[in-house]
Amino acid sequence: AQRVTQPEKLLSVFKGAPVELKCNYSYSGSPELFWYVQYSRQRLQLLLRHISRESIKGFTADLNKGETSFHLKKPFAQEEDSAMYYCALSQGAQKLVFGQGTRLTINP
Amino acid sequence: GAVVSQHPSWVICKSGTSVKIECRSLDFQATTMFWYRQFPKQSLMLMATSNEGSKATYEQGVEKDKFLINHASLTLSTLTVTSAHPEDSSFYICSAPTSYDYNEQFFGPGTRLTVL
């Protein structure tokens, strides 16, 4: 069965420190993975997707098929990065399976 | 970007009544919309896929007679929680992909349902 695991419910780092939000998945096919973000009092929105291989707001994520991981990283955290982050896997037909989410808090 | 709206943003109802939640794509057409449920401090759980002009497809464990979905137009899907009970209290969120980028879904702001 398809599953997405985010082992950390809460993550707190200081401003300027590196950030890594972990995501592991299980999927029998060729995965499409995404990171969605939800800022306070805002709706869920796409942050980045693995097929784009792009950096958004300084965040990057590399798909590691050997480790079945798609960790989200940023070298220098900013206060505005504080939000809820969800890793998601596409099951095909655009259906998404979400991880449990990680609440990231950036301390000044 | 594309915008998805939901109405109402919150609703309180008595046990046994039915509640309708609307999901609209404001500036694009959506042949497919998705309905999620989110319990406090938990992740989004996909409930069903709403298909314009045809029946919705429900995820395993979701009662189709309890959660009626109608996708009557290319910009509107409705979720009706029938004979609501306190355990149906939750945050309901819809999403829709655009026709030009199936990989990106746009989410509504959600509807908080409280059943007394």
Coordinates of all heavy atoms in Angstrom, one line a residue, chain A residues 10-70:
Chain A
L10 N 6.9 17.8 15.1 CA 7.4 19.1 15.4 C 8.8 19.2 15.1 O 9.6 18.3 15.4 CB 7.1 19.5 16.9 CG 5.6 19.3 17.4 CD1 5.6 19.5 18.9 CD2 4.8 20.4 16.7
L11 N 9.2 20.4 14.6 CA 10.7 20.7 14.4 C 10.9 22.1 14.7 O 10.2 23.0 14.1 CB 11.1 20.3 12.9 CG 12.5 20.5 12.6 CD1 13.4 19.5 13.4 CD2 12.8 20.2 11.1
S12 N 11.9 22.4 15.5 CA 12.1 23.8 15.9 C 13.6 24.0 15.6 O 14.5 23.3 16.1 CB 11.8 24.0 17.3 OG 12.0 25.3 17.7
V13 N 13.9 25.1 14.9 CA 15.3 25.5 14.7 C 15.4 27.0 14.8 O 14.4 27.7 14.7 CB 15.8 25.0 13.3 CG1 15.7 23.5 13.1 CG2 15.1 25.7 12.2
F14 N 16.7 27.4 14.9 CA 16.9 28.9 15.0 C 17.1 29.5 13.6 O 17.5 28.8 12.7 CB 18.1 29.2 15.9 CG 17.9 29.0 17.3 CD1 18.3 27.8 18.0 CD2 17.2 29.9 18.1 CE1 18.1 27.7 19.4 CE2 17.0 29.8 19.4 CZ 17.4 28.6 20.1
K15 N 16.7 30.7 13.5 CA 16.9 31.5 12.3 C 18.4 31.4 11.8 O 19.3 31.5 12.7 CB 16.5 32.9 12.5 CG 16.7 33.8 11.4 CD 16.3 35.3 11.8 CE 16.6 36.3 10.7 NZ 16.3 37.6 11.1
G16 N 18.5 31.1 10.6 CA 19.9 31.0 10.0 C 20.4 29.6 10.0 O 21.4 29.3 9.4
A17 N 19.8 28.7 10.8 CA 20.3 27.4 10.9 C 19.7 26.5 9.7 O 18.7 26.9 9.1 CB 19.9 26.7 12.2
P18 N 20.4 25.4 9.4 CA 19.9 24.6 8.3 C 18.6 23.8 8.8 O 18.5 23.5 10.0 CB 21.0 23.6 8.0 CG 21.8 23.6 9.2 CD 21.7 24.9 9.9
V19 N 17.8 23.5 7.8 CA 16.5 22.8 8.1 C 16.4 21.6 7.2 O 16.8 21.6 6.0 CB 15.3 23.7 7.8 CG1 14.0 22.9 8.0 CG2 15.3 24.9 8.8
E20 N 16.0 20.5 7.8 CA 15.7 19.3 7.0 C 14.5 18.6 7.6 O 14.4 18.2 8.7 CB 16.9 18.3 7.1 CG 16.6 17.0 6.2 CD 17.7 16.0 6.2 OE1 18.2 15.7 7.3 OE2 18.1 15.6 5.1
L21 N 13.4 18.6 6.7 CA 12.2 17.9 7.1 C 12.2 16.5 6.4 O 12.3 16.5 5.2 CB 11.0 18.7 6.7 CG 10.7 20.0 7.5 CD1 11.5 21.1 7.0 CD2 9.2 20.3 7.5
K22 N 12.0 15.5 7.2 CA 12.2 14.1 6.6 C 10.8 13.6 6.0 O 9.8 13.9 6.6 CB 12.7 13.2 7.7 CG 14.2 13.5 8.0 CD 14.7 12.4 9.0 CE 16.2 12.5 9.1 NZ 16.7 13.8 9.4
C23 N 11.0 12.9 5.0 CA 9.8 12.2 4.3 C 10.3 10.9 3.7 O 11.2 10.9 3.0 CB 9.2 13.1 3.3 SG 7.9 12.3 2.3
N24 N 9.6 9.8 4.1 CA 9.9 8.5 3.5 C 8.5 8.0 2.9 O 7.5 8.3 3.4 CB 10.4 7.6 4.5 CG 11.8 7.9 4.9 OD1 12.1 8.7 5.9 ND2 12.8 7.4 4.2
Y25 N 8.7 7.2 1.9 CA 7.5 6.7 1.2 C 7.6 5.3 0.9 O 8.7 4.7 0.9 CB 7.2 7.5 -0.1 CG 8.3 7.3 -1.1 CD1 8.1 6.3 -2.1 CD2 9.4 8.1 -1.2 CE1 9.1 6.0 -3.0 CE2 10.4 7.9 -2.1 CZ 10.2 6.8 -3.0 OH 11.2 6.6 -4.0
S26 N 6.4 4.7 0.7 CA 6.4 3.3 0.2 C 5.4 3.3 -1.0 O 4.3 3.8 -0.8 CB 6.0 2.3 1.2 OG 4.7 2.6 1.7
Y27 N 5.9 2.8 -2.1 CA 5.1 2.8 -3.3 C 5.6 1.9 -4.3 O 6.9 1.8 -4.5 CB 5.1 4.3 -3.9 CG 4.2 4.4 -5.1 CD1 2.8 4.2 -5.0 CD2 4.6 4.9 -6.4 CE1 1.9 4.4 -6.1 CE2 3.8 5.1 -7.4 CZ 2.4 4.8 -7.3 OH 1.6 5.0 -8.4
S28 N 4.8 1.1 -4.9 CA 5.3 0.0 -5.8 C 5.6 0.5 -7.2 O 6.4 -0.1 -7.8 CB 4.2 -1.1 -5.9 OG 3.0 -0.5 -6.3
G29 N 5.1 1.6 -7.6 CA 5.4 2.1 -8.9 C 6.4 3.2 -8.9 O 7.3 3.2 -8.0
S30 N 6.4 4.0 -10.0 CA 7.3 5.1 -10.1 C 6.7 6.3 -9.4 O 5.7 6.8 -9.8 CB 7.6 5.4 -11.5 OG 8.6 6.4 -11.7
P31 N 7.3 6.8 -8.3 CA 6.6 7.8 -7.5 C 6.7 9.2 -8.0 O 7.6 9.6 -8.7 CB 7.3 7.7 -6.1 CG 8.7 7.3 -6.5 CD 8.6 6.4 -7.7
E32 N 5.6 9.9 -7.8 CA 5.6 11.4 -8.0 C 5.4 12.0 -6.6 O 4.4 11.7 -5.9 CB 4.5 11.8 -8.9 CG 4.7 11.5 -10.4 CD 3.7 12.2 -11.2 OE1 3.7 13.4 -11.3 OE2 2.9 11.5 -11.8
L33 N 6.4 12.8 -6.2 CA 6.3 13.3 -4.8 C 6.3 14.8 -4.8 O 6.8 15.5 -5.7 CB 7.6 12.8 -4.0 CG 7.4 11.3 -3.6 CD1 8.7 10.6 -3.6 CD2 6.7 11.2 -2.3
F34 N 5.6 15.3 -3.8 CA 5.4 16.7 -3.6 C 5.6 17.2 -2.2 O 5.5 16.4 -1.2 CB 4.0 17.1 -4.0 CG 3.5 16.6 -5.3 CD1 3.1 15.3 -5.5 CD2 3.5 17.4 -6.4 CE1 2.7 14.8 -6.7 CE2 3.1 17.0 -7.7 CZ 2.7 15.7 -7.8
W35 N 5.9 18.4 -2.0 CA 5.8 19.1 -0.7 C 4.8 20.2 -0.8 O 4.9 21.0 -1.6 CB 7.2 19.6 -0.3 CG 8.1 18.6 0.4 CD1 9.1 17.9 -0.2 CD2 8.1 18.2 1.7 NE1 9.7 17.1 0.6 CE2 9.1 17.2 1.9 CE3 7.3 18.5 2.8 CZ2 9.4 16.6 3.1 CZ3 7.6 17.8 4.0 CH2 8.6 16.9 4.1
Y36 N 3.9 20.1 0.2 CA 2.9 21.2 0.3 C 3.1 21.9 1.6 O 3.6 21.3 2.6 CB 1.4 20.6 0.3 CG 0.9 20.3 -1.1 CD1 1.2 19.1 -1.8 CD2 0.1 21.2 -1.7 CE1 0.7 18.8 -3.0 CE2 -0.4 20.9 -3.0 CZ -0.1 19.8 -3.6 OH -0.6 19.5 -4.9
V37 N 2.7 23.2 1.6 CA 3.0 24.0 2.8 C 1.7 24.7 3.2 O 0.9 25.1 2.3 CB 4.1 25.0 2.6 CG1 3.8 25.9 1.5 CG2 4.4 25.7 3.9
Q38 N 1.5 24.8 4.5 CA 0.3 25.6 5.0 C 0.8 26.6 6.0 O 1.2 26.2 7.1 CB -0.7 24.6 5.6 CG -2.0 25.3 5.9 CD -3.1 24.3 6.3 OE1 -2.8 23.2 6.8 NE2 -4.3 24.7 6.1
Y39 N 0.8 27.9 5.6 CA 1.2 28.9 6.5 C 0.0 29.2 7.4 O -1.2 28.9 7.1 CB 1.6 30.2 5.8 CG 2.8 29.9 4.9 CD1 2.7 29.8 3.5 CD2 4.1 29.8 5.4 CE1 3.8 29.6 2.7 CE2 5.2 29.6 4.7 CZ 5.0 29.5 3.3 OH 6.1 29.2 2.5
S40 N 0.2 29.9 8.5 CA -0.8 30.2 9.5 C -2.0 30.9 8.9 O -1.8 31.9 8.2 CB -0.2 31.0 10.6 OG -1.2 31.3 11.6
R41 N -3.2 30.3 9.1 CA -4.4 30.9 8.6 C -4.5 31.0 7.1 O -5.2 31.8 6.5 CB -4.6 32.3 9.2 CG -4.7 32.3 10.7 CD -5.1 33.7 11.2 NE -5.0 33.8 12.6 CZ -5.9 33.3 13.5 NH1 -7.0 32.8 13.0 NH2 -5.7 33.4 14.8
Q42 N -3.7 30.2 6.4 CA -3.8 30.1 4.9 C -4.1 28.7 4.5 O -4.0 27.7 5.3 CB -2.5 30.6 4.3 CG -2.2 32.0 4.6 CD -1.0 32.5 3.8 OE1 -0.7 32.0 2.7 NE2 -0.3 33.5 4.3
R43 N -4.5 28.5 3.3 CA -4.8 27.2 2.7 C -3.5 26.5 2.3 O -2.4 27.1 2.2 CB -5.7 27.4 1.5 CG -5.1 28.0 0.3 CD -6.1 28.3 -0.7 NE -7.1 29.4 -0.3 CZ -8.2 29.6 -0.9 NH1 -8.6 28.9 -2.0 NH2 -9.1 30.5 -0.5
L44 N -3.7 25.2 2.1 CA -2.6 24.4 1.7 C -2.2 24.8 0.3 O -3.0 25.1 -0.6 CB -3.1 22.9 1.7 CG -2.0 21.8 1.8 CD1 -1.3 21.9 3.1 CD2 -2.7 20.5 1.7
Q45 N -0.9 24.8 0.0 CA -0.4 25.2 -1.3 C 0.9 24.4 -1.7 O 1.6 24.0 -0.8 CB -0.1 26.7 -1.4 CG 0.9 27.2 -0.4 CD 1.1 28.7 -0.5 OE1 1.7 29.2 -1.4 NE2 0.6 29.4 0.5
L46 N 1.0 24.2 -2.9 CA 2.2 23.4 -3.4 C 3.5 24.2 -3.2 O 3.6 25.4 -3.5 CB 2.0 23.1 -4.9 CG 3.2 22.3 -5.5 CD1 3.3 20.9 -4.9 CD2 3.0 22.3 -7.1
L47 N 4.5 23.6 -2.6 CA 5.8 24.2 -2.4 C 6.7 23.8 -3.6 O 7.2 24.6 -4.3 CB 6.4 23.8 -1.1 CG 7.8 24.4 -0.8 CD1 7.7 25.9 -0.7 CD2 8.3 23.8 0.5
L48 N 6.9 22.5 -3.7 CA 7.7 22.0 -4.8 C 7.3 20.5 -5.1 O 6.7 19.8 -4.3 CB 9.2 22.2 -4.6 CG 9.8 21.6 -3.3 CD1 10.1 20.2 -3.4 CD2 11.1 22.4 -3.1
R49 N 7.8 20.1 -6.3 CA 7.5 18.7 -6.7 C 8.9 18.2 -7.3 O 9.7 18.9 -7.8 CB 6.5 18.7 -7.9 CG 6.9 19.4 -9.1 CD 5.8 19.5 -10.1 NE 5.0 20.7 -9.9 CZ 4.0 21.1 -10.7 NH1 3.7 20.4 -11.7 NH2 3.3 22.2 -10.4
H50 N 9.0 16.9 -7.1 CA 10.3 16.3 -7.4 C 10.7 16.4 -8.9 O 11.8 16.5 -9.3 CB 10.4 14.9 -6.9 CG 10.0 13.8 -7.9 ND1 8.7 13.4 -8.0 CD2 10.7 13.1 -8.8 CE1 8.7 12.5 -8.9 NE2 9.8 12.3 -9.5
I51 N 9.7 16.3 -9.8 CA 10.0 16.3 -11.2 C 10.5 17.6 -11.7 O 11.1 17.7 -12.7 CB 8.7 15.9 -12.0 CG1 7.6 16.8 -11.8 CG2 8.4 14.4 -11.7 CD1 6.4 16.5 -12.7
S52 N 10.2 18.7 -10.9 CA 10.7 20.0 -11.4 C 12.1 20.3 -11.1 O 12.8 21.1 -11.7 CB 9.8 21.1 -10.7 OG 8.5 20.9 -11.1
R53 N 12.6 19.6 -10.0 CA 14.0 19.8 -9.6 C 14.3 21.3 -9.4 O 15.4 21.7 -9.8 CB 15.0 19.1 -10.6 CG 14.9 17.6 -10.7 CD 15.8 17.1 -11.7 NE 16.1 15.7 -11.4 CZ 17.0 15.2 -10.6 NH1 17.8 16.1 -10.0 NH2 17.2 13.9 -10.4
E54 N 13.4 22.0 -8.9 CA 13.7 23.4 -8.7 C 13.8 23.8 -7.2 O 13.4 23.0 -6.4 CB 12.5 24.2 -9.4 CG 11.2 23.9 -8.8 CD 10.0 24.5 -9.7 OE1 10.3 25.4 -10.5 OE2 8.9 24.1 -9.5
S55 N 14.2 25.0 -7.0 CA 14.3 25.5 -5.6 C 13.3 26.6 -5.4 O 13.2 27.5 -6.2 CB 15.7 26.1 -5.4 OG 15.8 26.7 -4.1
I56 N 12.4 26.4 -4.4 CA 11.4 27.4 -4.2 C 11.6 27.9 -2.8 O 11.7 27.2 -1.8 CB 10.0 26.7 -4.3 CG1 9.8 26.1 -5.6 CG2 8.9 27.8 -4.0 CD1 9.7 27.0 -6.8
K57 N 11.7 29.2 -2.7 CA 11.9 29.9 -1.4 C 13.1 29.4 -0.7 O 13.2 29.3 0.5 CB 10.7 29.8 -0.5 CG 9.4 30.4 -1.1 CD 8.3 30.4 -0.1 CE 7.1 31.1 -0.8 NZ 5.9 31.1 0.1
G58 N 14.1 28.9 -1.5 CA 15.3 28.4 -0.9 C 15.3 26.9 -0.5 O 16.3 26.3 -0.1
F59 N 14.1 26.3 -0.7 CA 13.9 24.9 -0.3 C 14.2 24.0 -1.5 O 13.9 24.4 -2.7 CB 12.5 24.6 0.1 CG 12.2 25.1 1.5 CD1 11.5 26.3 1.7 CD2 12.5 24.3 2.6 CE1 11.2 26.7 3.0 CE2 12.2 24.7 3.9 CZ 11.5 25.9 4.1
T60 N 14.8 22.9 -1.3 CA 15.1 21.9 -2.3 C 14.7 20.5 -1.7 O 14.7 20.3 -0.5 CB 16.5 21.8 -2.8 OG1 17.4 21.5 -1.6 CG2 16.9 23.1 -3.5
A61 N 14.4 19.6 -2.6 CA 14.1 18.2 -2.2 C 14.6 17.3 -3.2 O 14.2 17.5 -4.4 CB 12.6 18.0 -1.9
D62 N 15.3 16.3 -2.9 CA 15.8 15.3 -3.8 C 15.2 13.9 -3.6 O 15.1 13.5 -2.4 CB 17.3 15.2 -3.7 CG 18.0 16.4 -4.2 OD1 17.6 17.0 -5.2 OD2 19.0 16.8 -3.5
L63 N 14.7 13.3 -4.6 CA 14.1 12.0 -4.5 C 15.2 11.0 -4.5 O 16.1 10.9 -5.4 CB 13.2 11.7 -5.7 CG 12.6 10.4 -5.8 CD1 11.7 10.1 -4.6 CD2 11.8 10.2 -7.1
N64 N 15.3 10.2 -3.5 CA 16.3 9.1 -3.3 C 15.5 7.8 -3.3 O 14.9 7.4 -2.3 CB 17.0 9.3 -2.0 CG 18.2 8.3 -1.9 OD1 18.1 7.1 -2.3 ND2 19.3 8.7 -1.3
K65 N 15.5 7.2 -4.5 CA 14.8 5.9 -4.7 C 15.3 4.8 -3.8 O 14.6 3.9 -3.4 CB 14.7 5.6 -6.1 CG 13.8 6.5 -6.9 CD 13.6 6.0 -8.4 CE 12.7 7.0 -9.2 NZ 12.5 6.5 -10.6
G66 N 16.6 4.8 -3.7 CA 17.3 3.8 -2.9 C 16.8 3.8 -1.4 O 16.6 2.7 -0.8
E67 N 16.7 5.0 -0.9 CA 16.3 5.1 0.5 C 14.8 5.4 0.6 O 14.3 5.6 1.7 CB 17.1 6.3 1.2 CG 18.6 6.0 1.3 CD 19.3 7.1 2.0 OE1 18.7 8.1 2.4 OE2 20.6 6.9 2.2
T68 N 14.1 5.5 -0.5 CA 12.7 5.8 -0.6 C 12.4 7.1 0.3 O 11.6 7.1 1.2 CB 11.8 4.7 -0.2 OG1 12.1 4.3 1.2 CG2 11.9 3.5 -1.1
S69 N 13.2 8.1 0.0 CA 13.0 9.3 0.8 C 12.9 10.5 -0.2 O 13.3 10.5 -1.3 CB 14.2 9.5 1.7 OG 15.4 9.8 0.9
F70 N 12.4 11.6 0.4 CA 12.2 12.9 -0.3 C 12.2 14.0 0.7 O 11.3 14.7 1.0 CB 10.8 12.9 -1.1 CG 10.6 14.0 -2.0 CD1 11.5 14.3 -3.0 CD2 9.5 14.8 -1.9 CE1 11.3 15.4 -3.9 CE2 9.3 15.9 -2.7 CZ 10.2 16.2 -3.7

